[in-house]
Amino acid sequence: MKSIKEIEKLSVEELERIGADESIPVPGDLSVKIPSRKAPVIAWSAAAAAVVVVAGFIGLRKPSDTPADTFDDPYLAYAAVENALCKISGSVNSASVKLEDAESTFNKLNYWK
């Protein structure tokens, strides 16, 4: 019996000759079915189809001409912008506090190097 490396080195003609040789005994237990690889292919095909459908729905949506969150009163608009900027400022401030804590921990670890 040949090893896999020896079989890989055979040419196409040699493989065809070996396949056509009737003197090579064929095992009798070849009735066992080899599992099909169609299930993963079907699953990947279904996933790809779902992505295409979702992308189609997103692409076909018509954007509105005017934004939904407009203000008629400039004072209300200013108040909404101020509120949004305060929220952003609070997030940045809390992140800077966490960064300072991490920096002090890092400096303690760096001290012991």
Side-chain angles (χ1 to χ4, degrees), residues 29-37:
D29 60 345
L30 289 180
S31 62
V32 178
K33 285 194 161 195
I34 297 174
S36 173
R37 291 187 171 238

Side-chain angles (χ1 to χ4, degrees), residues 62-111:
K62 182 180 176 187
S64 62
D65 293 335
T66 57
D69 57 346
T70 58
F71 291 92
D72 293 331
D73 186 7
Y75 293 108
L76 289 176
Y78 178 77
V81 168
E82 188 177 19
N83 186 20
L85 291 176
C86 284
K87 286 181 182 179
I88 292 171
S89 174
S91 297
V92 169
N93 287 339
S94 67
S96 66
V97 168
K98 290 179 183 177
L99 182 62
E100 288 173 0
D101 292 342
E103 185 179 17
S104 67
T105 304
F106 178 74
N107 288 337
K108 288 176 188 175
L109 292 174
N110 210 9
Y111 175 76

Side-chain angles (χ1 to χ4, degrees), residues 3-79:
S3 69
I4 293 177
K5 289 185 180 183
E6 292 173 339
I7 294 172
E8 288 175 346
K9 292 179 183 178
L10 294 176
S11 69
V12 175
E13 292 81 17
E14 290 174 310
L15 290 172
E16 287 177 351
R17 184 185 51 77
I18 293 171
D21 188 2
E22 304 252 345
S23 66
I24 299 174
V26 178
D29 60 345
L30 289 180
S31 62
V32 178
K33 285 194 161 195
I34 297 174
S36 173
R37 291 187 171 238
K38 289 183 181 179
V41 172
I42 292 171
W44 281 107
S45 300
V51 168
V52 169
V53 168
V54 169
F57 280 128
I58 291 173
L60 293 177
R61 251 185 353 170
K62 182 180 176 187
S64 62
D65 293 335
T66 57
D69 57 346
T70 58
F71 291 92
D72 293 331
D73 186 7
Y75 293 108
L76 289 176
Y78 178 77

